[in-house]
Amino acid sequence: MKIAVLFRNDLRLHDHPALMTAAQHGEILPIYVMEEGLGTAFRYWTHKNLLGLQKSLTEMGGTLYFSTQNLVKTIATIKEHVDAIYFHRSYHPDHFSRDAVLEKSHPNVRSFEGSLLLPPWKTTKENGDPYKVFSPFYKNARQKVVPAAVKAVQEATFAHITSIATVSSNIESLNLHPHHSWTDKIDVHWMAGEEEAIQQLKVFVHEKIARYKVARDFPIQHGSSELSPYLAVGALSVRSMYHYLLQQAESVAEPFIRQLFWREFAYHILFHFPKTLHSPLNPAFAHFPWQENAEHLTAWKKGETGIPLVDAGMKELWETGYMHNRVRMNVASYLTKHLLLDYRKGMAWFWDTLIDADIANNIFGWQWASGCGADAAPYFRIFNPYLQAEKFDSNGLYQKEWLPNSYEENPIVSHDAGRKRALLAYEEVKNRD
Ligand SMILES: Cc1cc2nc3c(=O)[nH]c(=O)nc-3n(C[C@H](O)[C@H](O)[C@H](O)COP(=O)(O)OP(=O)(O)OC[C@H]3O[C@@H](n4cnc5c(N)ncnc54)[C@H](O)[C@@H]3O)c2cc1C
């Protein structure tokens, strides 16, 4: 039996149920499928990780093919050439129901869980309603049994095809690599691939996790795992990670595991409230008086707002394709509260520039920070970026690392003025609630 395995954000051989099942039942035809709408930095990161996967498959005697079309069109193109098609579910709202319809209408098309600890319908309240608050979600979901990870595929037989119009063995056909010098910067900061991802996980668990609870909030300490790029592209399986943590570091793992459940919660919200792909979860924000100000938006993107912590974060993002979580919260708060710019503008910038761009986490983070999402920061909680810097970067080393020597503090909107204006705007929404 010839089985096409369609790779998407699961660029690995370990804990890959679709690949493992195919390996047990026939010859595998591995094809990476590119969906529309990926951001520039993530496209490049995907390219780098695909090279790793390509190498691993080649070493086993296979060929990785690349499809320039989305999953539905790819299946239409290849179904004549294979007996079955396997892939992992995507919880992107534009994909999930589309793929489910396809699976129902083709008996030889089969989807598997490959990106979450538990599918979002397994973590609802007893009456089936979804959660909107993290703590009860976590309490419930944490008690569930997370299925064991599947062993890495080490041996398999492979099928090969001569190229068909939209499926080829040439990675360049995807055009993921922008061939621009900014990619050198990403290469300096990040090494791609499954092997590297597993190595980084081991280093984190054996050298850093015991201090995670304390160190994770201080950007200069690099105390968080910095594994999000590997999770986003699927070079690491979250399920393998979870079981490895419990096996190797159970007594100190809980604060970190809790963060993995924030990721689960973000997917839970996106799955049960698909409108959040484009709109605030809280309907009171439908007519929020967001300002239009192209100059402010550009200043924010370039790290030229005159607020040091915000600007340092935006420069870190531009240089590395990543930003520390504490700083993400601050730059998002400044954009949506002090500048009163629509959270979707910030979200789009993150989507284009983050190598860990993740559809659920990005939406969730932005809705949380702007106050319109699930379990969101209350509207009157407006981060003071100076106090935040004092608390989490007290010696200023993080800010010094990213700000140019010529940097001058000359805020486009000061904390006090921005705070007052935001409170008035947010007060209006509250009264509409
Ligand atoms: C405005 C905003 C936008 C964000 N956009 C993204 C995004 O596009 N992609 C992304 O992966 N994360 C996003 N986050 C969440 C968080 O900032 C990153 O997951 C985290 O900084 C990644 O670093 P780490 O791997 O060292 O995290 P660690 O602290 O080591 O956490 C381990 C893992 O848990 C998950 N996690 C941690 N914090 C969160 C959180 N707050 N929400 C959901 N999952 C979390 C991530 O998968 C992370 O890799 C965003 C947060 C904000 C405030």
Side-chain angles (χ1 to χ4, degrees):
M1 179 151 111
K2 215 184 257 187
I3 305 168
V5 174
L6 305 185
F7 284 86
R8 19 186 32 181
N9 288 339
D10 49 9
L11 306 185
R12 60 174 185 270
L13 302 183
H14 73 277
D15 193 32
H16 200 299
L19 187 68
M20 179 53 100
T21 312
Q24 286 163 347
H25 291 101
E27 286 175 22
I28 303 170
L29 186 70
I31 305 177
Y32 170 74
V33 170
M34 194 173 76
E35 298 284 356
E36 293 99 4
L38 304 182
T40 312
F42 188 71
R43 285 168 70 93
Y44 178 61
W45 180 240
T46 298
H47 176 89
K48 299 282 291 182
N49 282 278
L50 277 171
L51 292 176
L53 181 65
Q54 186 181 40
K55 183 167 171 276
S56 307
L57 289 170
T58 307
E59 282 166 7
M60 285 199 290
T63 304
L64 178 59
Y65 294 90
F66 305 96
S67 169
T68 51
Q69 299 193 304
N70 70 24
L71 188 110
V72 173
K73 291 181 184 160
T74 304
I75 290 182
T77 308
I78 58 159
K79 67 175 194 283
E80 321 278 82
H81 302 265
V82 294
D83 304 301
I85 300 173
Y86 295 170
F87 54 85
H88 290 155
R89 280 190 289 273
S90 157
Y91 292 108
H92 190 300
D94 288 346
H95 306 163
F96 185 80
S97 37
R98 180 200 72 183
D99 299 354
V101 169
L102 194 83
E103 194 180 353
K104 269 206 187 109
S105 53
H106 292 77
N108 52 357
V109 170
R110 187 171 161 199
S111 73
F112 298 77
E113 177 56 62
S115 57
L116 296 179
L117 295 172
L118 296 156
W121 51 87
K122 291 245 164 115
T123 47
T124 55
K125 296 178 189 169
E126 253 173 46
N127 66 2
D129 286 350
Y131 286 97
K132 281 191 180 178
V133 177
F134 177 71
S135 298
F137 166 84
Y138 176 53
K139 203 168 156 206
N140 173 11
R142 187 70 184 87
Q143 286 163 2
K144 307 245 159 155
V145 177
V146 173
V150 173
K151 274 195 185 146
V153 170
Q154 285 171 333
E155 275 182 359
T157 43
F158 289 90
H160 299 268
I161 46 168
T162 42
S163 299
I164 11 185
T166 52
V167 181
S168 92
S169 57
N170 179 6
I171 192 170
E172 292 299 333
S173 63
L174 298 174
N175 205 15
L176 290 170
H177 191 317
H179 296 291
H180 187 282
S181 58
W182 67 256
T183 58
D184 299 348
K185 299 195 248 182
I186 304 286
D187 293 347
V188 168
H189 292 282
W190 300 96
M191 295 209 358
E194 179 177 11
E195 222 174 279
E196 178 67 21
I198 293 171
Q199 178 57 21
Q200 291 300 332
L201 170 65
K202 286 185 180 161
V203 169
F204 175 69
V205 171
H206 295 295
E207 294 175 16
K208 289 165 85 174
I209 199 167
R211 288 204 65 240
Y212 174 78
K213 191 174 175 198
V214 184
R216 63 179 286 261
D217 251 331
F218 299 89
I220 198 66
Q221 295 189 19
H222 296 277
S224 69
S225 70
E226 299 176 356
L227 290 171
S228 53
Y230 301 107
L231 281 172
V233 82
L236 262 188
S237 140
V238 71
R239 220 164 25 191
S240 300
M241 208 166 153
Y242 172 87
H243 289 297
Y244 183 73
L245 285 158
L246 291 183
Q247 221 180 52
Q248 301 283 324
E250 185 167 8
S251 62
V252 286
E254 200 54 32
F256 184 75
I257 286 179
R258 189 183 159 88
Q259 291 314 115
L260 297 183
F261 277 94
W262 274 103
R263 179 177 179 272
E264 296 283 306
F265 187 49
Y267 274 94
H268 182 84
I269 295 292
L270 183 62
F271 179 78
H272 292 288
F273 303 96
K275 71 160 192 172
T276 56
L277 182 61
H278 301 295
S279 322
L281 178 70
N282 180 348
F285 277 79
H287 303 291
F288 188 81
W290 301 115
Q291 309 280 300
E292 282 296 331
N293 191 323
E295 272 175 32
H296 281 181
L297 181 61
T298 304
W300 178 83
K301 286 180 181 175
K302 288 185 159 176
E304 292 174 0
T305 66
I307 306 275
L309 183 64
V310 172
D311 292 343
M314 297 310 290
K315 300 242 185 240
E316 180 188 13
L317 173 60
W318 188 246
E319 288 298 312
T320 67
Y322 174 89
M323 192 193 299
H324 186 276
N325 180 58
R326 171 62 46 189
V327 194
R328 288 187 208 209
M329 292 195 285
N330 272 278
V331 304
S333 169
Y334 187 75
L335 184 88
T336 55
K337 296 194 169 162
H338 296 84
L339 299 184
L340 278 183
L341 295 178
D342 191 328
Y343 77 91
R344 282 161 286 214
K345 295 199 165 126
M347 193 167 92
W349 182 248
F350 268 32
W351 184 251
D352 200 35
T353 53
L354 278 173
I355 62 163
D356 70 9
D358 175 287
I359 191 70
N361 283 2
N362 198 28
I363 292 173
F364 185 88
W366 277 96
Q367 293 206 357
W368 180 88
S370 59
C372 68
D375 211 354
Y379 79 97
F380 51 82
R381 166 117 53 88
I382 296 175
F383 276 123
N384 177 333
Y386 299 100
L387 290 183
Q388 287 281 307
E390 241 174 75
K391 202 165 165 197
F392 298 108
D393 187 34
S394 57
N395 48 19
L397 287 178
Y398 170 78
Q399 292 161 92
K400 230 178 251 159
E401 180 174 356
W402 296 111
L403 295 175
N405 289 337
S406 57
Y407 185 77
E408 280 179 29
E409 285 186 43
N410 187 9
I412 51 172
V413 171
S414 72
H415 172 59
D416 285 344
R419 182 172 182 279
K420 274 191 201 124
R421 190 172 62 155
L423 281 175
L424 285 176
Y426 276 75
E427 192 68 43
E428 230 183 82
V429 169
K430 194 191 117 212
N431 294 336
R432 227 183 278 142
D433 239 341

